[in-house]
Amino acid sequence: MNASGKPKRIGILTAGGDCPGINAAIRGVGKTAILEYGMEVIGISSGFLGLINQEYVQLDENQLSGILTLGGTILGTSRENPFKKDSIVNKPRLIKKNYEELGLDCLVCIGGNGTQRTASLLVEEGLNIIGIPKTIDNDVWGTDVTFGFDSALWIAVEAIDRLHTTANSHKRIMVIEVMGHHAGWLALYSGMAGGGDVILMPEIEYDIDIVAKYLKKRALNKKPYSIVVVAEGIPCPKGEKPGHYIADEITKRTGLEARETILGYIQRGGSPSPMDRVLATRYGAYAVELIAEGRFGMMVAAIADKITAVPLKEVGGKLRTVPLNHTLIEKAIRMDVCFGNC
Ligand code: F6P
Protein backbone atom coordinates (compact mmCIF):
# COMPACT_ATOMS: atom_id res chain seq x y z
CA MET A 1 0.00 0.00 0.00
CA ASN A 2 1.13 3.56 -0.59
CA ALA A 3 1.05 6.40 1.95
CA SER A 4 -2.69 6.98 1.33
CA GLY A 5 -3.38 3.31 2.07
CA LYS A 6 -4.26 2.59 -1.58
CA PRO A 7 -2.64 -0.27 -3.57
CA LYS A 8 0.62 0.89 -5.12
CA ARG A 9 0.24 1.85 -8.77
CA ILE A 10 3.20 1.28 -11.07
CA GLY A 11 3.79 2.29 -14.68
CA ILE A 12 5.92 0.26 -17.13
CA LEU A 13 7.47 1.59 -20.31
CA THR A 14 9.79 0.02 -22.87
CA ALA A 15 12.16 2.30 -24.76
CA GLY A 16 15.02 2.12 -27.26
CA GLY A 17 15.78 -0.71 -29.67
CA ASP A 18 13.50 -3.67 -29.13
CA CYS A 19 14.84 -7.16 -28.36
CA PRO A 20 13.59 -10.62 -27.41
CA GLY A 21 12.75 -10.85 -23.72
CA ILE A 22 11.05 -7.49 -23.19
CA ASN A 23 7.62 -9.11 -22.88
CA ALA A 24 9.05 -11.64 -20.44
CA ALA A 25 10.24 -8.72 -18.32
CA ILE A 26 6.84 -6.99 -18.54
CA ARG A 27 5.25 -10.27 -17.46
CA GLY A 28 7.72 -10.67 -14.58
CA VAL A 29 6.93 -7.17 -13.31
CA GLY A 30 3.18 -7.47 -13.87
CA LYS A 31 2.50 -10.88 -12.40
CA THR A 32 4.68 -10.25 -9.34
CA ALA A 33 3.12 -6.83 -8.75
CA ILE A 34 -0.48 -8.00 -9.16
CA LEU A 35 -0.38 -11.48 -7.63
CA GLU A 36 2.19 -11.01 -4.85
CA TYR A 37 1.69 -7.38 -3.85
CA GLY A 38 -1.81 -6.50 -5.07
CA MET A 39 -0.45 -3.54 -7.02
CA GLU A 40 -2.06 -1.90 -10.05
CA VAL A 41 -0.03 -1.93 -13.29
CA ILE A 42 -0.27 0.62 -16.10
CA GLY A 43 1.40 -0.05 -19.44
CA ILE A 44 2.73 3.06 -21.18
CA SER A 45 2.91 2.99 -24.98
CA SER A 46 5.97 3.76 -27.12
CA GLY A 47 8.51 4.45 -24.42
CA PHE A 48 8.68 7.96 -22.95
CA LEU A 49 6.48 9.22 -25.83
CA GLY A 50 3.51 7.50 -24.18
CA LEU A 51 3.99 9.51 -20.99
CA ILE A 52 4.17 12.70 -23.07
CA ASN A 53 1.06 11.87 -25.14
CA GLN A 54 -0.87 10.13 -22.31
CA GLU A 55 -1.08 6.77 -24.12
CA TYR A 56 -1.71 4.15 -21.45
CA VAL A 57 -3.31 0.73 -20.98
CA GLN A 58 -4.27 -1.01 -17.73
CA LEU A 59 -2.36 -4.30 -17.54
CA ASP A 60 -4.07 -7.21 -15.81
CA GLU A 61 -3.48 -10.95 -15.84
CA ASN A 62 -5.24 -11.34 -19.20
CA GLN A 63 -2.87 -8.96 -21.01
CA LEU A 64 0.09 -10.68 -19.34
CA SER A 65 -0.76 -14.21 -20.37
CA GLY A 66 0.85 -15.71 -23.47
CA ILE A 67 3.57 -13.05 -23.75
CA LEU A 68 6.52 -14.86 -22.13
CA THR A 69 7.69 -16.27 -25.47
CA LEU A 70 6.60 -13.32 -27.60
CA GLY A 71 9.32 -11.23 -29.26
CA GLY A 72 9.20 -7.46 -29.41
CA THR A 73 7.18 -5.45 -26.86
CA ILE A 74 3.39 -5.43 -26.44
CA LEU A 75 3.69 -1.78 -25.34
CA GLY A 76 5.63 -0.64 -28.39
CA THR A 77 8.81 1.41 -28.10
CA SER A 78 10.45 4.60 -29.36
CA ARG A 79 13.77 6.38 -29.08
CA GLU A 80 12.09 9.52 -27.69
CA ASN A 81 14.58 11.44 -25.53
CA PRO A 82 12.55 13.97 -23.49
CA PHE A 83 15.73 15.79 -22.43
CA LYS A 84 16.81 16.50 -26.01
CA LYS A 85 16.55 20.26 -26.61
CA ASP A 86 14.56 19.91 -29.82
CA SER A 87 11.16 21.15 -28.78
CA ILE A 88 9.58 24.25 -27.22
CA VAL A 89 7.61 21.85 -24.99
CA ASN A 90 9.21 21.12 -21.60
CA LYS A 91 8.85 17.37 -21.98
CA PRO A 92 10.34 16.35 -18.60
CA ARG A 93 7.87 18.67 -16.86
CA LEU A 94 5.00 17.19 -18.95
CA ILE A 95 6.13 13.67 -18.09
CA LYS A 96 6.18 14.51 -14.38
CA LYS A 97 2.70 16.10 -14.62
CA ASN A 98 1.25 13.04 -16.39
CA TYR A 99 3.06 10.67 -13.98
CA GLU A 100 1.40 12.50 -11.07
CA GLU A 101 -2.02 12.70 -12.76
CA LEU A 102 -1.81 8.95 -13.38
CA GLY A 103 -1.23 8.57 -9.64
CA LEU A 104 1.88 6.46 -10.15
CA ASP A 105 3.97 5.43 -7.14
CA CYS A 106 6.79 4.28 -9.43
CA LEU A 107 7.78 4.06 -13.09
CA VAL A 108 9.65 0.99 -14.39
CA CYS A 109 11.84 1.83 -17.39
CA ILE A 110 12.91 -1.17 -19.50
CA GLY A 111 15.68 -0.10 -21.86
CA GLY A 112 19.33 0.22 -22.82
CA ASN A 113 21.91 2.82 -21.83
CA GLY A 114 20.00 5.71 -23.43
CA THR A 115 16.84 4.75 -21.54
CA GLN A 116 18.69 4.37 -18.25
CA ARG A 117 20.26 7.81 -18.78
CA THR A 118 16.79 9.34 -19.26
CA ALA A 119 15.56 7.39 -16.23
CA SER A 120 18.37 8.77 -14.05
CA LEU A 121 17.51 12.33 -15.15
CA LEU A 122 13.83 11.77 -14.31
CA VAL A 123 14.88 10.68 -10.82
CA GLU A 124 16.35 14.18 -10.44
CA GLU A 125 12.97 15.57 -11.55
CA GLY A 126 11.42 13.80 -8.54
CA LEU A 127 9.97 10.64 -10.09
CA ASN A 128 10.30 7.24 -8.40
CA ILE A 129 12.06 5.12 -11.01
CA ILE A 130 13.34 1.54 -11.32
CA GLY A 131 15.43 0.69 -14.39
CA ILE A 132 15.62 -2.74 -16.05
CA PRO A 133 18.58 -3.19 -18.45
CA LYS A 134 17.77 -4.65 -21.87
CA THR A 135 19.58 -4.59 -25.19
CA ILE A 136 21.12 -7.03 -27.63
CA ASP A 137 24.31 -4.92 -27.38
CA ASN A 138 25.02 -5.98 -23.77
CA ASP A 139 26.59 -2.54 -23.25
CA VAL A 140 24.70 -1.21 -20.20
CA TRP A 141 27.06 -0.13 -17.42
CA GLY A 142 26.47 -1.65 -13.98
CA THR A 143 25.33 -5.12 -14.99
CA ASP A 144 27.24 -8.16 -16.30
CA VAL A 145 24.51 -8.93 -18.79
CA THR A 146 21.38 -7.49 -20.37
CA PHE A 147 18.57 -9.67 -21.61
CA GLY A 148 18.35 -9.66 -25.41
CA PHE A 149 22.05 -10.41 -25.74
CA ASP A 150 21.74 -14.21 -25.45
CA SER A 151 18.93 -14.34 -28.02
CA ALA A 152 20.88 -12.20 -30.49
CA LEU A 153 23.94 -14.37 -29.87
CA TRP A 154 21.99 -17.50 -30.78
CA ILE A 155 20.78 -15.86 -34.00
CA ALA A 156 24.26 -14.64 -34.98
CA VAL A 157 25.91 -18.00 -34.24
CA GLU A 158 23.26 -19.90 -36.19
CA ALA A 159 24.01 -17.60 -39.15
CA ILE A 160 27.77 -18.09 -38.82
CA ASP A 161 27.32 -21.87 -38.64
CA ARG A 162 25.47 -21.67 -41.97
CA LEU A 163 28.19 -19.53 -43.52
CA HIS A 164 30.77 -22.25 -42.85
CA THR A 165 29.11 -24.68 -45.29
CA THR A 166 28.73 -22.22 -48.14
CA ALA A 167 32.23 -20.82 -47.59
CA ASN A 168 33.64 -24.34 -47.77
CA SER A 169 31.67 -25.21 -50.91
CA HIS A 170 32.99 -22.16 -52.78
CA LYS A 171 36.36 -21.85 -51.02
CA ARG A 172 35.47 -18.24 -50.16
CA ILE A 173 36.02 -15.80 -47.31
CA MET A 174 32.68 -15.03 -45.64
CA VAL A 175 32.33 -11.72 -43.80
CA ILE A 176 29.39 -11.30 -41.41
CA GLU A 177 28.49 -7.94 -39.84
CA VAL A 178 26.72 -8.23 -36.49
CA MET A 179 25.05 -5.51 -34.39
CA GLY A 180 26.28 -4.16 -31.07
CA HIS A 181 26.26 -0.39 -31.62
CA HIS A 182 29.55 0.94 -30.19
CA ALA A 183 30.48 -2.25 -28.31
CA GLY A 184 31.95 -5.52 -29.51
CA TRP A 185 30.22 -8.02 -27.20
CA LEU A 186 28.13 -9.64 -29.94
CA ALA A 187 31.08 -9.79 -32.35
CA LEU A 188 33.43 -11.30 -29.76
CA TYR A 189 31.02 -13.89 -28.42
CA SER A 190 29.47 -14.87 -31.76
CA GLY A 191 32.92 -14.95 -33.35
CA MET A 192 34.23 -17.34 -30.71
CA ALA A 193 31.07 -19.46 -30.58
CA GLY A 194 30.91 -19.60 -34.38
CA GLY A 195 34.57 -20.40 -34.99
CA GLY A 196 35.48 -17.05 -36.52
CA ASP A 197 39.04 -16.73 -37.81
CA VAL A 198 39.00 -12.92 -37.73
CA ILE A 199 37.00 -10.82 -35.24
CA LEU A 200 36.93 -7.03 -35.67
CA MET A 201 35.43 -5.00 -32.83
CA PRO A 202 35.33 -1.29 -31.90
CA GLU A 203 37.52 -1.79 -28.83
CA ILE A 204 40.51 -3.06 -30.81
CA GLU A 205 41.96 -0.84 -33.55
CA TYR A 206 42.40 -2.96 -36.67
CA ASP A 207 44.74 -2.65 -39.67
CA ILE A 208 43.17 -4.03 -42.84
CA ASP A 209 46.62 -4.94 -44.19
CA ILE A 210 47.19 -7.19 -41.18
CA VAL A 211 43.80 -8.84 -41.80
CA ALA A 212 44.67 -9.40 -45.48
CA LYS A 213 48.09 -10.83 -44.65
CA TYR A 214 46.56 -13.22 -42.08
CA LEU A 215 43.93 -14.45 -44.58
CA LYS A 216 46.50 -14.90 -47.37
CA LYS A 217 48.62 -16.98 -44.98
CA ARG A 218 45.61 -19.16 -44.18
CA ALA A 219 45.02 -19.71 -47.92
CA LEU A 220 48.71 -20.55 -48.45
CA ASN A 221 48.39 -23.07 -45.60
CA LYS A 222 45.63 -24.74 -47.61
CA LYS A 223 42.80 -23.57 -45.34
CA PRO A 224 39.80 -23.94 -47.72
CA TYR A 225 37.92 -20.89 -46.41
CA SER A 226 37.82 -18.24 -43.65
CA ILE A 227 35.12 -16.62 -41.53
CA VAL A 228 35.41 -12.93 -40.63
CA VAL A 229 33.09 -11.53 -37.94
CA VAL A 230 32.75 -7.73 -37.95
CA ALA A 231 31.04 -5.51 -35.38
CA GLU A 232 28.90 -2.78 -36.94
CA GLY A 233 30.66 -0.24 -34.72
CA ILE A 234 34.17 -0.58 -36.17
CA PRO A 235 35.56 2.44 -38.01
CA CYS A 236 35.14 2.41 -41.78
CA PRO A 237 34.77 5.09 -44.50
CA LYS A 238 31.71 7.33 -44.02
CA GLY A 239 28.59 5.99 -45.70
CA GLU A 240 30.01 2.46 -45.95
CA LYS A 241 28.64 -0.58 -44.11
CA PRO A 242 31.56 -2.22 -42.29
CA GLY A 243 30.68 -5.66 -43.62
CA HIS A 244 30.71 -4.46 -47.25
CA TYR A 245 33.88 -2.42 -46.74
CA ILE A 246 35.85 -5.25 -45.13
CA ALA A 247 34.77 -7.79 -47.78
CA ASP A 248 35.73 -5.40 -50.60
CA GLU A 249 39.10 -4.61 -49.04
CA ILE A 250 39.86 -8.32 -48.49
CA THR A 251 39.12 -9.10 -52.13
CA LYS A 252 41.22 -6.14 -53.33
CA ARG A 253 44.21 -6.94 -51.10
CA THR A 254 44.26 -10.74 -51.27
CA GLY A 255 42.75 -11.62 -54.65
CA LEU A 256 40.59 -14.11 -52.74
CA GLU A 257 36.80 -14.20 -53.19
CA ALA A 258 35.00 -12.57 -50.27
CA ARG A 259 31.27 -12.17 -49.75
CA GLU A 260 29.45 -10.29 -47.00
CA THR A 261 26.31 -10.84 -44.94
CA ILE A 262 24.82 -7.91 -42.98
CA LEU A 263 22.79 -9.71 -40.32
CA GLY A 264 20.95 -6.58 -39.18
CA TYR A 265 17.56 -6.60 -37.49
CA ILE A 266 17.13 -10.36 -37.54
CA GLN A 267 19.23 -10.21 -34.37
CA ARG A 268 16.47 -8.22 -32.66
CA GLY A 269 13.52 -10.35 -33.76
CA GLY A 270 11.67 -13.42 -32.68
CA SER A 271 11.12 -15.34 -29.49
CA PRO A 272 13.62 -14.95 -26.60
CA SER A 273 16.08 -17.70 -25.75
CA PRO A 274 15.36 -19.67 -22.55
CA MET A 275 18.19 -17.84 -20.78
CA ASP A 276 16.75 -14.47 -21.75
CA ARG A 277 13.29 -15.52 -20.60
CA VAL A 278 14.72 -16.48 -17.21
CA LEU A 279 16.91 -13.36 -16.88
CA ALA A 280 14.10 -11.01 -17.92
CA THR A 281 11.73 -12.70 -15.46
CA ARG A 282 14.29 -12.42 -12.64
CA TYR A 283 14.85 -8.73 -13.45
CA GLY A 284 11.13 -8.01 -13.57
CA ALA A 285 10.32 -9.79 -10.33
CA TYR A 286 13.22 -8.13 -8.49
CA ALA A 287 12.18 -4.70 -9.75
CA VAL A 288 8.86 -5.14 -7.94
CA GLU A 289 10.62 -6.19 -4.71
CA LEU A 290 12.59 -2.93 -4.87
CA ILE A 291 9.34 -0.99 -5.37
CA ALA A 292 7.70 -2.78 -2.42
CA GLU A 293 10.73 -1.84 -0.27
CA GLY A 294 10.61 1.76 -1.54
CA ARG A 295 14.17 1.48 -2.96
CA PHE A 296 13.73 3.83 -5.92
CA GLY A 297 16.37 5.38 -8.19
CA MET A 298 17.93 1.95 -8.79
CA MET A 299 18.54 -0.29 -11.82
CA VAL A 300 18.30 -4.04 -11.37
CA ALA A 301 21.47 -5.85 -12.41
CA ALA A 302 23.12 -9.26 -12.59
CA ILE A 303 26.55 -9.29 -10.98
CA ALA A 304 28.32 -12.68 -10.79
CA ASP A 305 24.91 -14.25 -11.50
CA LYS A 306 23.38 -12.60 -8.42
CA ILE A 307 20.38 -10.36 -9.10
CA THR A 308 21.03 -7.07 -7.35
CA ALA A 309 20.53 -3.33 -7.85
CA VAL A 310 22.82 -0.40 -8.67
CA PRO A 311 22.08 3.34 -8.37
CA LEU A 312 20.76 4.76 -11.64
CA LYS A 313 22.92 7.85 -11.21
CA GLU A 314 26.01 5.60 -11.51
CA VAL A 315 24.67 3.98 -14.70
CA GLY A 316 23.16 6.80 -16.72
CA GLY A 317 24.97 7.57 -19.97
CA LYS A 318 27.90 5.18 -19.43
CA LEU A 319 28.82 2.57 -22.04
CA ARG A 320 30.08 -0.87 -21.03
CA THR A 321 32.54 -1.94 -23.72
CA VAL A 322 34.62 -5.11 -23.86
CA PRO A 323 37.70 -4.73 -21.64
CA LEU A 324 40.91 -5.38 -23.59
CA ASN A 325 42.05 -7.89 -20.95
CA HIS A 326 38.83 -9.92 -21.26
CA THR A 327 39.75 -13.59 -20.81
CA LEU A 328 37.94 -14.53 -24.02
CA ILE A 329 40.22 -12.21 -26.01
CA GLU A 330 43.29 -13.70 -24.31
CA LYS A 331 42.18 -17.24 -25.15
CA ALA A 332 41.28 -16.28 -28.73
CA ILE A 333 44.73 -14.84 -29.33
CA ARG A 334 46.31 -18.07 -28.04
CA MET A 335 44.18 -19.91 -30.62
CA ASP A 336 45.47 -17.69 -33.43
CA VAL A 337 42.25 -15.75 -33.89
CA CYS A 338 43.08 -12.47 -35.62
CA PHE A 339 41.76 -9.16 -34.17
CA GLY A 340 43.40 -7.16 -36.95
CA ASN A 341 46.13 -5.73 -34.73
CA CYS A 342 49.07 -8.11 -34.91
O1 F6P B 1 20.68 -0.90 -29.56
C1 F6P B 1 20.27 -2.01 -30.30
C2 F6P B 1 20.55 -1.77 -31.76
O2 F6P B 1 20.06 -2.84 -32.48
C3 F6P B 1 22.01 -1.58 -32.08
O3 F6P B 1 22.72 -2.80 -32.10
C4 F6P B 1 21.90 -0.94 -33.44
O4 F6P B 1 23.07 -0.24 -33.80
C5 F6P B 1 20.73 0.02 -33.21
O5 F6P B 1 19.91 -0.59 -32.22
C6 F6P B 1 19.88 0.27 -34.44
O6 F6P B 1 18.98 1.32 -34.10
P1 F6P B 1 17.55 1.49 -34.81
O7 F6P B 1 16.69 0.35 -34.36
O8 F6P B 1 17.06 2.82 -34.30
O9 F6P B 1 17.82 1.45 -36.29
Side-chain angles (χ1 to χ4, degrees):
M1 297 299 175
N2 62 21
S4 54
K6 288 182 188 164
K8 282 196 174 179
R9 195 168 158 84
I10 63 176
I12 306 179
L13 64 79
T14 61
D18 76 319
C19 71
I22 295 178
N23 288 321
I26 293 171
R27 176 178 176 273
V29 172
K31 287 178 81 89
T32 306
I34 294 166
L35 300 176
E36 175 66 18
Y37 294 99
M39 295 178 184
E40 291 178 3
V41 183
I42 306 291
I44 293 157
S45 303
S46 311
F48 295 101
L49 213 51
L51 258 182
I52 293 168
N53 301 332
Q54 298 181 312
E55 292 164 3
Y56 318 130
V57 59
Q58 180 97 22
L59 289 180
D60 61 27
E61 272 201 85
N62 295 330
Q63 274 93 358
L64 297 170
S65 77
I67 68 169
L68 172 63
T69 60
L70 194 59
T73 160
I74 58 170
L75 297 176
T77 184
S78 72
R79 289 191 182 278
E80 171 65 30
N81 172 6
F83 290 91
K84 196 174 170 191
K85 304 281 183 240
D86 62 351
S87 156
I88 52 167
V89 174
N90 185 325
K91 292 178 181 177
R93 189 180 300 163
L94 189 53
I95 284 176
K96 184 174 182 183
K97 173 179 159 297
N98 290 333
Y99 166 98
E100 288 166 348
E101 282 178 6
L102 258 178
L104 294 182
D105 293 289
C106 179
L107 175 66
V108 176
C109 299
I110 301 175
N113 37 48
T115 303
Q116 303 312 329
R117 178 175 60 245
T118 299
S120 64
L121 293 173
L122 287 174
V123 171
E124 290 169 27
E125 299 286 328
L127 279 70
N128 292 333
I129 304 266
I130 297 290
I132 295 181
K134 71 94 186 118
T135 174
I136 66 167
D137 306 337
N138 203 34
D139 62 357
V140 175
W141 185 271
T143 181
D144 291 346
V145 63
T146 57
F147 68 79
F149 175 66
D150 186 63
S151 300
L153 184 57
W154 272 96
I155 294 164
V157 172
E158 207 265 346
I160 295 170
D161 289 351
R162 290 175 179 276
L163 290 178
H164 278 267
T165 61
T166 181
N168 193 25
S169 305
H170 290 264
K171 307 299 177 258
R172 279 173 171 164
I173 296 170
M174 283 301 186
V175 178
I176 180 168
E177 180 190 310
V178 297
M179 283 188 158
H181 209 207
H182 299 309
W185 294 102
L186 266 176
L188 176 61
Y189 275 66
S190 65
M192 291 304 287
D197 303 297
V198 178
I199 299 173
L200 303 182
M201 44 200 277
E203 295 86 346
I204 300 175
E205 190 178 346
Y206 73 95
D207 177 334
I208 190 65
D209 284 318
I210 291 175
V211 174
K213 193 167 159 227
Y214 171 88
L215 292 169
K216 270 198 287 195
K217 187 177 157 206
R218 280 181 56 84
L220 288 172
N221 291 340
K222 305 284 182 254
K223 295 290 183 184
Y225 66 92
S226 294
I227 299 288
V228 178
V229 180
V230 169
E232 65 173 343
I234 65 164
C236 78
K238 194 167 170 50
E240 287 246 34
K241 293 289 282 179
H244 289 304
Y245 169 70
I246 295 295
D248 288 349
E249 288 301 309
I250 288 171
T251 302
K252 269 192 281 188
R253 294 163 194 262
T254 66
L256 300 165
E257 267 199 295
R259 294 288 189 279
E260 74 277 358
T261 298
I262 312 295
L263 202 50
Y265 293 87
I266 291 173
Q267 297 160 95
R268 298 237 300 257
S271 183
S273 68
M275 283 306 284
D276 272 345
R277 296 177 198 184
V278 168
L279 182 60
T281 300
R282 292 174 79 187
Y283 278 172
Y286 189 63
V288 179
E289 289 177 40
L290 293 171
I291 295 167
E293 293 163 12
R295 286 181 62 200
F296 303 118
M298 305 296 279
M299 181 187 81
V300 300
I303 297 173
D305 198 34
K306 187 175 179 305
I307 302 299
T308 181
V310 294
L312 267 169
K313 63 178 184 297
E314 288 176 13
V315 169
K318 287 183 193 165
L319 202 58
R320 192 178 77 101
T321 53
V322 180
L324 295 184
N325 64 349
H326 193 288
T327 53
L328 199 48
I329 293 177
E330 287 165 5
K331 291 181 174 50
I333 291 168
R334 292 193 195 122
M335 296 165 69
D336 194 33
V337 172
C338 172
F339 288 94
N341 63 342
C342 60

